[in-house]
Amino acid sequence: DELADGVNMASSHMKDKCLGFWLSCAFAYKNADPHAGYYAIAAELGRRAAQGARIYTSNVDGMFLRVLEEHWQGTQRKAPADLLASDIVHEIHGNCLDWQCPQCGSTTTLQAGRSASNSKFTSEFHGETCASLAPTDSSVVNDLRKVLADDGALRLELAKRSPFLYCSNCSIMRWPRVVLFNDPRPHEFVIPPKVSESYQQWEELVEHFIAKRKEDMPSTLTSVKHKEPSLVILELGCGVHIPTVRHEMEWVFNDCNKIDDGSAVLIRVNPEHGQFPTPDRFDTTAQVGGSLLNIRRWYHHVNCTC
């Protein structure tokens, strides 16, 4: 955890190790091949995004964004209702493929793919502009791995030659755009307010829909056993060490069922930590069948939901 600590990131004796660690992570995620589960979820989300399907993730690898965009490109279909992948995927802890100046907020992005030179410079993250880019070393631009020492630390002097890693406007190294432990940056600096606002608006719309559905439902169908859920939550691998997503899913589940009992179902795919405060009210792995079985349960619920 010390390499993900904002205090260490800002310190002179740990900065090179912290930045080197996060750049190595960015390379690893950039070059990783998504497994089939990502594409199965992307296909379902692509089909149901206009109906309100969303992803809420604490992962900082950018994989859901990447797979959803690839899915739309591969199927030659436009995003539903003119939605962007970033409208559908809520990355609550950021994305380590984005590197951000901790002062002005200008951001560079390492694009997914096998080439280490595949990066781009943007300056619109916080509406700021960088007056100029630092003089660059073409070998550094073409292969960012050269800025990593053998022990994984960042070679700071060499890194300053790369506009991807160095903001010449502020004369400071960029940081990964992820929420760190003891992060000195304001949360809304790392995670734009529109991300939180978009998610809150989605939650309010879901609750409004459930309340309206309850109001319009015939009295003969109001019991839980006769009801198909309005919201199906598929929770994948959320543990208890940093339970941000786990708790949020439980709150959404409970809030929806307070409005209309049986309106939401939570499928928790987690053989080691499948517990829930009210286990009779949701599907759990219970050590049976693993994730594939639970994803099939999710498909069943989604395809039965009105």
Side-chain angles (χ1 to χ4, degrees):
D1 290 348
E2 65 176 9
L3 297 176
D5 192 295
V7 173
N8 292 333
M9 186 84 79
S11 71
S12 58
H13 70 287
M14 284 288 290
K15 178 187 295 184
D16 58 343
K17 294 182 176 62
C18 293
L19 291 174
F21 165 76
W22 281 107
L23 186 59
S24 297
C25 289
F27 282 136
Y29 294 144
K30 167 187 178 300
N31 293 323
D33 292 322
H35 58 69
Y38 278 106
Y39 290 106
I41 292 171
E44 192 66 29
L45 280 170
R47 192 163 66 90
R48 294 184 175 272
Q51 298 172 286
R54 296 293 185 270
I55 289 176
Y56 183 89
T57 179
S58 61
N59 292 353
V60 296
D61 55 13
M63 196 65 76
F64 279 117
L65 277 176
R66 170 183 168 185
V67 169
L68 195 54
E69 289 170 349
E70 285 180 4
H71 170 72
W72 282 332
Q73 291 172 1
T75 56
Q76 297 181 337
R77 294 170 57 185
K78 291 183 179 179
D82 296 323
L83 291 169
L84 301 173
S86 56
D87 296 325
I88 296 169
V89 179
H90 302 285
E91 295 178 315
I92 62 168
H93 289 167
N95 187 328
C96 79
L97 274 67
D98 295 337
W99 281 62
Q100 176 191 50
C101 174
Q103 289 188 9
C104 74
S106 64
T107 304
T108 58
T109 300
L110 193 66
Q111 299 295 294
R114 294 293 179 179
S115 170
S117 63
N118 189 14
S119 60
K120 67 178 181 179
F121 179 82
T122 60
S123 58
E124 45 193 67
F125 192 81
H126 287 280
E128 302 285 350
T129 58
C130 286
S132 62
L133 297 180
T136 60
D137 181 320
S138 60
S139 66
V140 172
V141 172
N142 291 331
D143 189 358
L144 285 171
R145 293 180 186 276
K146 291 184 177 180
V147 303
L148 290 173
D150 292 340
D151 63 356
L154 198 70
R155 293 173 171 151
L156 295 176
E157 289 305 314
L158 190 57
K160 289 179 181 179
R161 302 179 189 178
S162 167
F164 177 78
L165 296 169
Y166 188 74
C167 175
S168 61
N169 188 52
C170 302
S171 299
I172 193 173
M173 296 299 303
R174 300 183 193 278
W175 290 17
R177 190 181 64 79
V178 298
V179 177
L180 304 170
F181 299 110
N182 303 310
D183 202 321
R185 301 166 295 178
H187 184 271
E188 61 273 14
F189 187 88
V190 184
I191 308 298
K194 66 179 182 180
V195 174
S196 302
E197 291 167 3
S198 173
Y199 174 72
Q200 290 302 321
Q201 290 170 1
W202 170 85
E203 192 171 358
E204 290 169 7
L205 285 171
V206 169
E207 292 177 358
H208 175 77
F209 174 83
I210 288 173
K212 186 71 169 61
R213 186 173 184 243
K214 179 182 180 181
E215 181 183 323
D216 297 342
M217 186 175 292
S219 57
T220 54
L221 297 178
T222 54
S223 67
V224 174
K225 67 180 181 179
H226 291 140
K227 190 180 300 179
E228 293 295 346
S230 298
L231 176 66
V232 179
I233 304 169
L234 176 65
E235 184 192 282
L236 296 169
C238 298
V240 296
H241 178 53
I242 303 176
T244 311
V245 174
R246 187 182 181 92
H247 287 170
E248 179 62 23
M249 296 307 99
E250 291 178 2
W251 288 331
V252 171
F253 171 82
N254 287 324
D255 287 347
C256 290
N257 283 310
K258 285 176 184 175
I259 297 171
D260 186 18
D261 199 20
S263 64
V265 61
L266 170 58
I267 301 173
R268 174 162 281 163
V269 181
N270 195 319
E272 294 181 0
H273 302 288
Q275 304 83 2
F276 193 76
T278 51
D280 58 321
R281 292 301 322 285
F282 82 117
D283 286 10
T284 181
T285 55
Q287 299 286 344
V288 231
S291 59
L292 181 59
L293 173 62
N294 281 276
I295 290 175
R296 285 174 177 162
R297 288 181 182 173
W298 173 63
Y299 273 114
H300 167 75
H301 281 299
V302 165
N303 290 320
C304 290
T305 299
C306 298

